[in-house]
Amino acid sequence: MSSTESVSPHDVIVCACGTQEYTARDAIDAAIFRGEFEETWQTFLRHVAAEGRADELELELDESAISAAAEDFRHRHDLITAEETEAWLANRGLTFGDFSDYFARQYCVGAVDEGFSPEQVGYTSAAPELRDLFVAELILSRVLENMTTKLMWRLAARCAGKEPTSEAIAAEKRKFLHRIGIEPAQLAHWLEELGRDSQWLNEMLATEAAYGTHCDRLLVPEARQRELMALRLHLTRFEIELIELESHDAAQEALFCVREDGMSMEEVAAEGRYPYRRADFLLEDLPADAQQKYFSGSPGDVLKPISHGDGFELCRIIKKVEPRLEDPSVKSRVDRRLLDQYFSDLTTKFAYPRLSVPVSME
């Protein structure tokens, strides 16, 4: 029979590869090994500190806003009834209390912007209760899902190829030590703090080396160039200047001043004391309904006012830049697309997600 009463979120099974099951702890420790963890942990500590500060201030929480966020979550996960939500949570070792606390904490993050500082505590030395709360946040924010995907990619890579050579593993170990900033003599202590042993480290090194071999074969200039051509429209960079206005009428008046009176955007903003700024972005970063407006525009064009929050924005296109692999953000997205396509296919053969609580026999 399965039971969630004594199951820590760390022990929840997140994926499997062959007959081996991997838990949330495995996905988290793999992220620590890759050096992709600390920012996530510090963000969580800021959230906890904001919640604590809200308690100190006896801040009255906006229950309607918290409920709306929870309802939006349920809608996105197709959780129609309370029973479905409870089952979804139980399958991940969570309770309704964890669910409610998460959205209350997110509200506090937005409502409290000063007067608090995160606790200076490392993940490995944190209290078990704080670490369990952290995993709950990883699950509900979908960060754990991303960690699990990266773990599955590496597990599949190792299954799909030859075992890495001793030279490849040694090179991976050097990169690992540099990543986490320790000397070889400190490694045993680092593993002890994490609660892992040398066998776990050797497995991680071999898995990472296998993954690197696949990436080296995949991320070659020819493949990148082909993918760039396929993504050319989406990765076009726009440089714009914009004015923030309080109403549609004000935006229309500003538009008239630019188009008909020949005033610059900066002059209109200064005259009306409106916020003015320049920005740049890739087309794919915009909502789908806004992409066409920009793509059909040309440098020098002023777009019709666009609704933004409680007001409107008036935007003028300064420049449209064709994507090039020399642009780090473009290259990063091309590589991500190549990796996503390749490893999504590979994982279907060797690994699969499996979020559930461990089964215990009574």
Side-chain angles (χ1 to χ4, degrees):
M1 62 181 288
S2 100
S3 170
T4 65
E5 290 182 4
S6 59
V7 173
S8 164
H10 280 85
D11 298 325
V12 171
I13 299 166
V14 295
C15 67
C17 182
T19 59
Q20 182 68 44
E21 295 177 331
Y22 295 86
T23 65
R25 182 196 174 198
D26 293 320
I28 292 168
D29 288 356
I32 294 173
F33 168 85
R34 295 192 305 271
E36 299 174 356
F37 175 82
E38 190 59 26
E39 184 177 350
T40 302
W41 174 248
Q42 291 301 324
T43 297
F44 165 71
L45 292 180
R46 286 195 294 273
H47 291 180
V48 172
E51 183 179 35
R53 180 57 176 165
D55 287 342
E56 291 175 6
L57 297 173
E58 297 182 352
L59 182 70
E60 185 174 346
L61 304 185
D62 186 341
E63 297 296 342
S64 62
I66 295 172
S67 295
E71 284 303 313
D72 178 65
F73 179 96
R74 290 174 58 174
H75 176 75
R76 285 186 283 109
H77 290 78
D78 199 26
L79 303 173
I80 308 302
T81 66
E83 290 76 15
E84 290 173 337
T85 305
E86 185 175 18
W88 188 94
L89 291 168
N91 204 41
R92 291 154 175 80
L94 303 178
T95 66
F96 262 123
D98 298 321
F99 187 69
S100 301
D101 290 347
Y102 168 75
F103 290 103
R105 188 161 56 251
Q106 300 310 301
Y107 175 82
C108 292
V109 172
V112 180
D113 58 4
E114 60 182 18
F116 70 93
S117 58
E119 182 181 3
Q120 298 303 306
V121 57
Y123 171 74
T124 56
S125 57
E129 297 79 12
L130 185 63
R131 291 171 55 149
D132 283 351
L133 189 66
F134 173 63
V135 181
E137 181 151 324
L138 291 184
I139 292 172
L140 293 169
S141 65
R142 301 189 67 175
V143 174
L144 182 62
E145 186 177 320
N146 179 261
M147 290 180 174
T148 301
T149 296
K150 291 186 175 183
L151 174 60
M152 289 194 300
W153 283 6
R154 286 155 174 81
L155 294 171
R158 190 175 181 190
C159 290
K162 297 179 180 178
E163 277 294 292
T165 64
S166 57
E167 292 80 6
I169 292 176
E172 201 60 55
K173 185 173 183 178
R174 289 192 294 272
K175 289 190 284 186
F176 160 71
L177 292 172
H178 177 74
R179 222 169 30 235
I180 61 174
I182 65 171
E183 298 295 328
Q186 300 171 295
L187 185 53
H189 178 66
W190 185 89
L191 287 169
E192 183 181 357
E193 283 193 324
L194 190 61
R196 295 292 187 173
D197 56 22
S198 58
Q199 182 179 348
W200 172 84
L201 178 62
N202 291 336
E203 288 292 317
M204 295 303 301
L205 293 171
T207 301
E208 195 67 23
Y211 173 75
T213 298
H214 284 259
C215 291
D216 290 343
R217 290 201 300 261
L218 180 64
L219 302 178
V220 295
E222 296 82 2
R224 283 173 166 147
Q225 193 60 45
R226 285 195 303 270
E227 195 62 31
L228 177 65
M229 294 305 297
L231 295 174
R232 184 179 64 83
L233 299 182
H234 298 285
L235 297 183
T236 298
R237 180 177 296 280
F238 284 77
E239 296 179 16
I240 67 168
E241 55 181 346
L242 61 85
I243 306 172
E244 299 175 15
L245 305 112
E246 77 279 5
S247 68
H248 187 266
D249 288 344
Q252 285 293 127
E253 183 178 347
L255 177 61
F256 182 87
C257 291
V258 175
R259 284 184 174 174
E260 305 300 327
D261 295 345
M263 297 177 66
S264 71
M265 293 277 284
E266 197 163 6
E267 288 172 339
V268 172
E271 185 173 286
R273 297 184 178 180
Y274 296 122
Y276 165 90
R277 60 187 171 91
R278 293 193 173 205
D280 69 275
F281 54 83
L282 300 182
L283 186 65
E284 72 173 6
D285 290 336
L286 295 178
D289 59 347
Q291 289 186 15
Q292 186 57 43
K293 297 177 184 178
Y294 278 94
F295 185 72
S296 59
S298 300
D301 286 354
V302 182
L303 306 183
K304 292 181 179 179
I306 300 171
S307 175
H308 182 77
D310 295 332
F312 288 81
E313 289 181 343
L314 187 66
C315 302
R316 174 181 172 272
I317 300 173
I318 300 173
K319 188 186 297 184
K320 290 171 69 170
V321 182
E322 289 281 315
R324 302 176 62 201
L325 289 171
E326 289 78 9
D327 182 336
S329 64
V330 169
K331 183 180 178 183
S332 172
R333 296 187 194 215
V334 167
D335 286 357
R336 186 174 65 192
R337 176 75 170 261
L338 288 169
L339 293 172
D340 282 345
Q341 292 172 338
Y342 177 79
F343 284 106
S344 292
D345 179 61
L346 197 66
T347 52
T348 61
K349 301 174 183 176
F350 298 104
Y352 56 94
R354 193 194 138 184
L355 259 173
S356 63
V357 297
V359 174
S360 61
M361 302 303 295
E362 307 242 317

